[in-house]
Amino acid sequence: MSRFSRSVLSLLLSGLAMQASAADSLIRQARVFDGERIIGVRDVLIQDGKISRIDSSIPAPASAVITEAAGKTLLPGLIDSHVHAFKDQELPLLFGVTTQIDLFAAQPALQAFNRQLKEKNTQLPDTYSAGMLATVKGGHGTEYGLPVETLSAPDQAQAWVDARIAEGSHFIKIVMESGGHEHVVPSLSRDTVKALIGAAHKRNKLALVHISSIDDALFALENGADGLVHLFTAKEISDQQLSALVRAAKKHRAFVIPTFSVLNSIAGIKADAVLANPAWMRWLTPVQQQALQQTYGRKPQPELVAPARKAAAAFQKAGIPVLAGTDAGNNGTQFGISMHQELLELVEAGLTPVQALQAATSSPAKIFHLSDQGRIATGMVANLLLIDGQPDQKITDTQRITEVWKQGEPVSPLQQAQIKKVAAMQSNAIQLSAVTSLLQIKNNKAASPFGTGWMAASDKMMGGKSTARMQVQQDSEAGPVLQLQANIQPGFAYPWAGVSLMPGARPMQAANLEKASELRFKTRGDGQTYALAFGIEGSFIPVQIPFQTSQDWQEVRVRFADVAGLNMKLITMISWNAGGAAGERQFEIADIRLISE
């Protein structure tokens, strides 16, 4: 090798060494929770995105970034064992969630997650996904407008599982869900569920089962499910039922993800512990706050969650792994932040703070075979969370985040950027008159004073079969009148058809209507009950107010302050909808006015 070549090589190697050295970080004198227990006060050295050394005292490399952590607690990055990571993925890292288990994703999203796992990724959480879920035609999971390959018989199970594995699914998600007494939906037969569990095991994949009832939970566990990805809302659970669940879980070495965050939402209970953190609210946009604030249940019913709490405590006492998962992506939850509510819920259910921390670190790492995560140990990926407090003693201390590291890189710059982004969002409230008429006629078509106007809409946009036809005409008595002719057909979980006003500058873009206090309109029709619905950005389920029709015009008045869960700053759609049983529907609306006080 020539002298010149040796000189160039030396310079290159020096440059690489400087780059590696520049990335070194030393966390000094932290109380270390290693994923299992507090191991004492330690220095932790990070090099090349991994933990390279843990000791009572470590000399700082020349160019290392030093974090003084005396009196603080260092944890492994948190693992959320149940999310639906389809949006807002800038959030998890901000709150210390460095890894997620996604339990329903379309194939393009699954492929994107898997690509990220192969790359250096310091901006987003690592996401391991089940990909597509196993469900029946018209069953839970088909209502979101995604193409879903459904099953109808046990003999289809192996081919279905093999197709998911070929797509890159890390585990198999199976749905047992028949809905509630108010809305029954079809569900997989028990023979098909059993066949799917067997098919997953034949390919050495975990079989994870979504349940919503005690009976379904027991069936899944007795037939070899590896884990329940939910517990249940119920009015009560008997000692006999609880004992049977524990026996079945122990026999098959199953685990449980209670998802109290979403169970609380179903029971109308808000995530008050994190909503009360003003510093963290600066990290959430109005839409992201809305998703966290809006629960599925319209009134608090804590008694519906009590049986699940009792079950979680019994599972933990029996040595059955209980994992922390939020079901983020649903109303009443939000990515990252809900994990801290979930940890509190686990402790209030009966786990100790240490057990709750294990449920969010080492336990899911073992269950999901994440061999380089969930622990603070030499050679592990440096996904870390530094807390100004002692969360092993007081679980709410997890809300006192000092720093987060993803693959050795600090997350605090992302936190500051998010704060600036949220602060820069200006109020864009639409200016309204004291009375603003929303229905006009221009060029023989329905028009509105703002937004993208009126349209007929139905569940067809989400794969359903219902249809809607809208006509506008001038009435000498009522003024401009919208007529709806709807044909409600099965084919969607919640069939509907109606007429909609889009108030935003683009279809489905949110508009700020906070200056309005009331909506008034006149209606007449076939005597049936219909629904006024408000689409809210960040929420899948619209806020609905029923109204009755008759053959004569009558006025309906809706005061927004009286409607639970309605955020007038984030309105994507105002709709007058028909739904329910199959058949023809017809009604008219007129004199539609927003009132400002």
Side-chain angles (χ1 to χ4, degrees):
M1 181 182 292
S2 69
R3 181 180 300 175
F4 176 77
S5 297
R6 287 195 298 269
S7 298
V8 171
L9 179 61
S10 176
L11 287 170
L12 287 172
L13 292 174
S14 297
L16 290 172
M18 288 177 64
Q19 289 177 10
S21 178
D24 293 351
S25 294
L26 179 63
I27 304 169
R28 197 150 28 185
Q29 295 299 287
R31 296 175 70 250
V32 174
F33 175 80
D34 71 351
E36 296 284 354
R37 60 189 179 89
I38 294 288
I39 62 173
V41 175
R42 299 286 190 273
D43 285 0
V44 177
L45 181 62
I46 301 170
Q47 295 179 305
D48 297 327
K50 293 188 175 183
I51 299 169
S52 64
R53 185 179 173 188
I54 303 170
D55 212 331
S56 57
S57 180
I58 300 174
S63 59
V65 176
I66 297 174
T67 300
E68 299 293 349
K72 299 174 183 177
T73 303
L74 188 68
L75 314 172
L78 304 179
I79 301 171
D80 191 332
S81 291
H82 189 153
V83 303
H84 299 286
F86 63 97
K87 63 175 182 175
D88 296 329
Q89 288 306 285
E90 74 276 16
L91 294 181
L93 291 187
L94 309 185
F95 299 97
V97 173
T98 55
T99 303
Q100 300 178 123
I101 304 301
D102 174 89
L103 291 177
F104 177 27
Q107 188 177 2
L110 171 64
Q111 293 172 344
F113 296 148
N114 287 345
R115 284 195 300 270
Q116 290 169 5
L117 293 174
K118 297 176 181 178
E119 301 168 352
K120 176 76 172 179
N121 171 22
T122 61
Q123 305 292 303
L124 296 168
D126 295 327
T127 302
Y128 298 82
S129 180
M132 190 50 59
L133 47 69
T135 190
V136 71
K137 183 178 179 180
H140 180 58
T142 64
E143 68 266 42
Y144 303 113
L146 297 175
V148 177
E149 182 182 339
T150 59
L151 299 90
S152 60
D155 60 6
Q156 299 171 334
Q158 193 65 63
W160 189 95
V161 166
D162 290 347
R164 303 291 79 73
I165 295 172
E167 291 171 353
S169 295
H170 293 268
F171 18 78
I172 301 301
K173 165 82 173 288
I174 304 164
V175 174
M176 297 184 74
E177 173 66 69
S178 56
H181 66 278
E182 295 180 354
H183 185 76
V184 176
V185 296
S187 185
L188 292 168
S189 71
R190 293 195 165 193
D191 285 344
T192 304
V193 170
K194 186 175 180 179
L196 283 162
I197 293 170
H201 290 168
K202 188 174 181 179
R203 301 293 187 245
N204 296 314
K205 292 292 184 181
L206 293 173
L208 312 179
V209 183
H210 163 114
I211 58 89
S212 60
S213 71
I214 297 170
D215 287 345
D216 284 349
L218 183 58
F219 177 85
L221 291 172
E222 288 179 336
N223 285 277
D226 296 292
L228 301 181
V229 300
H230 290 291
L231 284 181
F232 33 73
T233 53
K235 293 183 178 179
E236 60 183 3
I237 185 170
S238 68
D239 291 342
Q240 183 180 6
Q241 288 173 316
L242 192 56
S243 296
L245 288 170
V246 170
R247 283 196 306 270
K250 288 195 73 171
K251 178 180 179 181
H252 294 283
R253 299 182 179 180
F255 61 89
V256 177
I257 311 170
T259 63
F260 285 118
S261 296
V262 81
L263 295 185
N264 281 349
S265 177
I266 293 168
I269 303 168
K270 289 191 174 185
D272 289 336
V274 292
L275 285 168
N277 187 328
W280 280 5
M281 290 303 103
R282 296 182 302 155
W283 297 358
L284 301 180
T285 67
V287 173
Q288 291 164 347
Q289 287 190 36
Q290 168 67 24
L292 184 60
Q293 292 169 345
Q294 186 170 341
T295 60
Y296 288 120
R298 297 306 181 198
K299 61 179 182 179
Q301 299 181 79
E303 65 275 11
L304 294 181
V305 187
R309 288 189 172 209
K310 188 175 180 180
F315 286 133
Q316 181 71 40
K317 185 177 180 180
I320 296 160
V322 175
L323 309 186
T326 63
D327 209 356
N330 280 286
N331 282 0
T333 69
Q334 190 50 271
F335 300 98
I337 190 171
S338 286
M339 176 56 79
H340 300 271
Q341 183 76 37
E342 190 71 24
L343 292 172
L344 174 60
E345 298 295 334
L346 289 173
V347 170
E348 292 189 345
L351 278 67
T352 67
V354 167
Q355 289 170 340
L357 294 176
Q358 291 169 346
T361 55
S362 61
S363 292
K366 291 176 185 175
I367 293 293
F368 294 110
H369 308 297
L370 310 178
S371 59
D372 60 356
Q373 299 188 46
R375 295 289 304 276
I376 295 179
T378 302
M380 294 286 183
V381 172
N383 293 343
L384 301 167
L385 171 61
L386 186 62
I387 299 297
D388 185 11
Q390 298 185 358
D392 53 298
Q393 303 295 323
K394 182 182 178 183
I395 198 63
T396 52
D397 278 359
T398 64
Q399 293 192 44
R400 298 165 61 184
I401 294 175
T402 297
E403 184 60 277
V404 180
W405 290 265
K406 177 72 195 311
Q407 296 183 10
E409 294 292 330
V411 171
S412 48
L414 300 180
Q415 294 168 336
Q416 292 304 313
Q418 181 73 1
I419 290 173
K420 290 179 181 178
K421 170 186 168 182
V422 173
M425 290 184 173
Q426 302 295 324
S427 173
N428 61 341
I430 292 176
Q431 300 302 312
L432 302 170
S433 304
V435 178
T436 301
S437 179
L438 297 181
L439 178 59
Q440 304 166 0
I441 297 179
K442 293 183 179 179
N443 300 321
N444 296 318
K445 294 182 180 180
S448 62
F450 52 80
T452 54
W454 292 90
M455 62 178 288
S458 75
D459 56 33
K460 266 194 170 182
M461 67 177 66
M462 305 180 78
K465 298 180 180 179
S466 301
T467 60
R469 189 158 62 92
M470 178 185 79
Q471 291 182 318
V472 62
Q473 65 180 25
Q474 186 74 31
D475 184 272
S476 59
E477 178 185 348
V481 175
L482 271 182
Q483 297 176 329
L484 172 71
Q485 290 181 318
N487 187 323
I488 306 301
Q489 292 296 325
F492 182 66
Y494 298 89
W496 62 276
V499 292
S500 299
L501 171 65
M502 301 288 186
R506 296 189 303 274
M508 297 308 296
Q509 181 183 37
N512 186 342
L513 298 177
E514 64 179 329
K515 294 188 179 298
S517 59
E518 185 175 348
L519 176 67
R520 300 177 188 175
F521 64 95
K522 293 178 181 177
T523 183
R524 69 181 177 186
D526 53 15
Q528 299 200 49
T529 300
Y530 296 100
L532 172 66
F534 292 86
I536 301 173
E537 189 171 1
S539 175
F540 283 118
I541 299 178
V543 175
Q544 300 192 70
I545 302 101
F547 66 91
Q548 185 77 31
T549 61
S550 70
Q551 62 181 356
D552 298 318
W553 287 110
Q554 56 184 335
E555 186 177 60
V556 178
R557 301 176 62 173
V558 177
R559 285 190 54 81
F560 301 140
D562 298 334
V563 182
L566 186 58
N567 187 337
M568 294 303 294
K569 295 181 180 181
L570 299 170
I571 300 300
T572 59
M573 180 188 296
I574 306 174
S575 298
W576 287 257
N577 293 335
E584 299 286 339
R585 304 283 192 279
Q586 181 176 324
F587 65 83
E588 297 174 303
I589 52 175
D591 195 19
I592 307 163
R593 295 163 286 158
L594 281 176
I595 310 299
S596 300
E597 294 180 351

